[in-house]
Amino acid sequence: MTNNKNIIIIAEQQNSKIKSISYELLSKGKDIAEKTGADLFAVLLGEQLDNEANELIYYGADKVFLYQHSSFRDFDPQNFKLNIVNLVQEQKPDLLLLGASHLGRSLAPRLAAALQAGLSADCVGIEVDDEGNIIQIRPAFSGSVLAYVKTKTKPVIATLRYKSTQSRKRDTSRKGEVITREAETIPSLITILRKQKSGDINLTEADIIVSGGRGFKKADDLSILAELAKTCGGVIGASRPLVDDGWIGKEHQVGFSGNTVKPKVYIACGISGSSQHLAGMRRSDIIIAINTDPSAPIFKIADYGIVGDLYEIVPNLISEIKGRIL
Amino acid sequence: MLKIIVPIKQVVDLSHIKFDDDGVGTIENTTGGEINPFDLNALEVAVQIKDKLGATINVISMGEQGADSILKDAIARGATEAFLLEDSAFKDSDTLATSYTIASTIRKMGDFDLIVCGEKSVDGDTGQVGPEIAEHLGIPHVAYVSKIEEIGEKLVLVSDMDGEQHTVECSFPILLTVTKNINTPRLPSLRDKLNSRKAKVEIWHSDDLISEANINRFGNAGSPTFVDKITLPSEGGRKGKTFKGSDLETVKELTNELEKDEILKGFSTK
C-alpha cells in the first residue's frame, strides 16, 4: 500500500546507542499518525547503527532512513541539516518532530529557516483537530500560559519536551524497513576537541527535585536539604534568592530565569512560591510544600502541604522516609 | 577590530503580568520593558571581548517605539551602536519572520565577525531565533555556549550538549547562543546611564531592508505559525492535602498519605 502522508521524527543517538527521547517522539508521532492515517518515519544519523536502527521499528517506525558517516558520530548542525532538508523535500512530511533537547533545539531552527517552515519549540503536547490540522501546545511566559499554535504551511516543525509522552512498548515482532541513504557531507566548520560528562546536575530531566528557598537561614543549613535529596534519590533545586546570595550555583535555580522543570515529585522546602518560581515548577506531577506561612502561594498548587518549621520537618521527614523505603 | 552583533529583545518582567482566566495577559505596575535577562548574558560576552581585544558592538531590537529605551540601556552597558527595527510591517512576526528580518538587517550592516544571542527569551521561551539567523546568513553556529576558553584567530568554546560538555574550535564568522551560566552581567554605572540617554538609536523601517530582503517574508505574511488560543495551565487535580505542625506525628501523617498514594514508591536511596 502506498501512502503519501507521512510524519518524520528525528531520532537521537549517543555513542551509537539510540537515546530514549527518540522513542517518546515515535510514540507521539504514532498518536498523530493513527489519527491522520500517515506513515511514521524515523531519521537516524550516526555511525555503526545497523542493528540499533531496528529498535526504531520495534518502537513504532514504519521506515527508518539511516545515514551513516564517521563525521556523524557527534552532532554537526550544518551537516545534519543538509541531509534532513534533502529528505524532507523528497518525502514532504506533514510533521517533522524533534526532541526539545540541546541537539533538537539547535537543529530544528536551522531546518525551519532552510525550509522556510514554521517551528514551535518546546511543545508539551501535539494534537490533531477535526479538520486534521496539527496543533502544537507549548508553554509561554515561562509556563504561565499554554499557547495553542497552528501552522499555515507544511511541514509543521516542532520540538517536544522530554517526558511529554510515554514511549510505547518495545515490540520485536513489528515489521518495518531500514533504508540506508548515502550521507552527503560538507567540511565541518566546527571541530570537537574534547568531550566530557557534564559535571552539572540536570534539573530538567530529574524525576525528583528537592528545592530550598528563603526559609533557610544560612548556606550551611542546606546540608539537610542535600540529605533529604539523597534520601529520596533526587537532585537539589533552589529558588532565586539562594542563588543570588551565592549559597548555591545557578545550575540549581528553578524558575523564571532559571530552569523549567517537570519532575515526578517536587519538594519545596521554605519556598513561598513567587510567580517567578512557580513558573519554573508548576508542571511537576506531584508537589509537596513545606512552609511556615499557611498563606504562602506554594500551597495553592501543592498536592501535599505541611505548615511548620522546615528545620524540624525535614529531619523528621528524612527519618520517616528512610524507615519506610528501606 | 572585531565586529560583534547582539540582537536583543524587549520583554516585560513576568511579575508585572497578570493573566485572567482566559489566559489574556495584562501588564500592570510598570513603566516599560526591559532587556530580556538572557540577552544580558549575550551582551556581557560581547562587552568582555570588547574590553579585551577591542570591538564594535551593534545591538539590534525589533519592536515599537518604547524599545529605544532598552537599546539605550544596552549602550549604557557597553554596546557601541543601536538599531531599532520599527515598522507595522514587522508586526506579528513569529520566529521565522523575526530571524529573517534580523538576518536581513545584519546583511545590510555589512561585514561582521561574531553574533551573540541569549539562550532564549523569558516571554516566548523559544530560543530558536539565534540558530535561525545563522541559517539565513549561511554561517555556522554553536548553541548553549557556557564558556569561552580562547578568542583570537580561532575561538575555543565549551558548549553544553545534553549532559555532555563539548569543547569546540571554530573560526569567524560565527553565531553563538550563550547560556545564563556563562557570566554575570555587570550593571551600568550611573555616568554611563546618564550618557546613554543622549545616545542615538538608528531607526530602520522595512523600506530600509528592501535591498537585502523579500518584504513578503516580514511580519504576519512571513510567519507560518500563529497562536490559535491561549489557556492557563490547569491546576486541577492537585490533591491539596494540608497538615499543620512540625513534630514527628504530623510528619508521619504526611508520609502515611505519601505511602498510601504510592508517592514513596518512586523514591530510591542512592
Side-chain angles (χ1 to χ4, degrees), chain A residues 139-164:
Chain A
F141 292 96
S142 303
S144 303
V145 297
L146 285 177
Y148 288 66
V149 179
K150 287 186 180 173
T151 309
K152 292 178 263 188
T153 55
K154 295 279 173 68
V156 171
I157 306 182
T159 62
L160 184 71
R161 275 200 191 165
Y162 286 104
K163 291 190 258 177
S164 300

Side-chain angles (χ1 to χ4, degrees), chain A residues 46-61:
Chain A
E47 61 166 3
Q48 295 171 350
L49 289 162
D50 292 313
N51 289 329
E52 275 293 286
N54 290 311
E55 293 295 324
L56 295 168
I57 290 170
Y58 303 155
Y59 281 96

Side-chain angles (χ1 to χ4, degrees), chain A residues 178-223:
Chain A
V178 176
I179 300 161
T180 298
R181 284 290 172 91
E182 190 74 32
E184 198 178 322
T185 58
I186 54 168
S188 180
L189 298 164
I190 294 161
T191 316
I192 298 181
L193 305 175
R194 289 187 295 284
K195 282 195 286 184
Q196 61 181 86
K197 277 258 175 284
S198 169
D200 286 355
I201 50 144
N202 194 343
L203 279 181
T204 51
E205 283 180 61
D207 280 336
I208 296 164
I209 295 174
V210 179
S211 265
R214 251 192 270 243
F216 282 89
K217 297 186 184 106
K218 55 183 199 293
D220 286 350
D221 298 344
L222 294 179
S223 58

Side-chain angles (χ1 to χ4, degrees), chain A residues 12 14-15 19 74-75 77-78 81 101-106 108-110 112-114 116-122 136 138-153 159 161-162 189-200 202 208 230-234 250-251 256-260 265 267 275-276 279 281-288 294 299-309 312-313 316-317 319-321 324-326, chain B residues 12-15 17 19 23-24 34 37-38 41 94-96 99 119-136 138-144 149 156 160-171 174 180-185 217 220-221 223-235 237-259 261 263-270:
Chain A
E12 291 185 27
Q14 190 167 25
N15 301 324
K19 298 183 79 169
D74 293 303
F75 172 51
Q78 284 176 297
K81 177 215 71 184
S101 54
H102 284 144
L103 184 151
R105 293 175 61 152
S106 183
R110 287 209 86 109
Q116 295 188 30
L119 166 62
S120 296
D122 240 14
Q136 305 119 76
R138 63 179 306 274
F141 292 96
S142 303
S144 303
V145 297
L146 285 177
Y148 288 66
V149 179
K150 287 186 180 173
T151 309
K152 292 178 263 188
T153 55
T159 62
R161 275 200 191 165
Y162 286 104
L189 298 164
I190 294 161
T191 316
I192 298 181
L193 305 175
R194 289 187 295 284
K195 282 195 286 184
Q196 61 181 86
K197 277 258 175 284
S198 169
D200 286 355
N202 194 343
I208 296 164
K230 201 175 151 207
T231 306
C232 306
K250 257 184 182 176
E251 67 276 15
F256 180 59
S257 48
N259 295 286
T260 305
V265 183
I267 308 181
S275 54
Q276 283 90 339
M281 48 65 75
R282 69 192 322 150
R283 289 177 56 254
S284 305
D285 292 352
I286 294 287
I287 296 168
I288 304 172
F299 286 122
K300 291 203 180 78
I301 64 160
D303 295 280
Y304 304 91
I306 180 160
V307 182
D309 181 3
E312 285 182 61
I313 294 170
N316 282 335
L317 194 56
S319 68
E320 270 301 296
I321 293 172
R324 287 171 198 245
I325 65 173
L326 285 178
Chain B
V12 174
D13 187 316
L14 191 65
S15 60
I17 308 176
F19 293 98
V24 176
E34 54 182 56
F38 293 95
N41 297 105
D94 70 359
T95 59
L96 185 70
S99 59
E119 175 180 330
K120 61 181 177 181
S121 66
V122 291
D123 50 2
D125 278 346
T126 73
Q128 309 291 262
V129 169
E132 284 186 333
I133 293 172
E135 180 63 26
H136 290 305
I139 61 166
H141 79 276
V142 182
Y144 301 103
E149 288 194 344
V156 178
D160 294 347
M161 214 51 217
D162 298 312
E164 288 186 343
Q165 289 196 312
H166 292 185
T167 304
V168 303
E169 187 182 81
C170 55
S171 32
I174 191 134
K180 62 186 182 299
N181 298 332
I182 193 166
N183 56 36
T184 304
R217 294 187 62 190
N220 190 33
S223 297
T225 66
F226 63 98
V227 175
D228 194 40
K229 64 171 178 174
I230 296 262
T231 63
L232 290 182
S234 112
E235 305 303 356
R238 292 288 176 205
K239 297 186 178 80
K241 296 179 184 175
T242 308
F243 307 87
K244 284 201 169 66
S246 312
D247 53 295
L248 190 58
E249 281 315 303
T250 314
V251 172
K252 272 203 167 102
E253 283 178 49
L254 168 70
T255 37
N256 282 340
E257 286 297 316
L258 294 178
E259 190 156 33
D261 296 342
I263 310 293
L264 288 188
K265 256 179 38 183
F267 292 177
S268 60
T269 304
K270 278 179 194 161

Side-chain angles (χ1 to χ4, degrees), chain A residues 14-26:
Chain A
Q14 190 167 25
N15 301 324
S16 299
K17 292 289 284 183
I18 290 170
K19 298 183 79 169
S20 62
I21 181 74
S22 314
Y23 305 134
E24 294 174 22
L25 297 175
L26 283 171

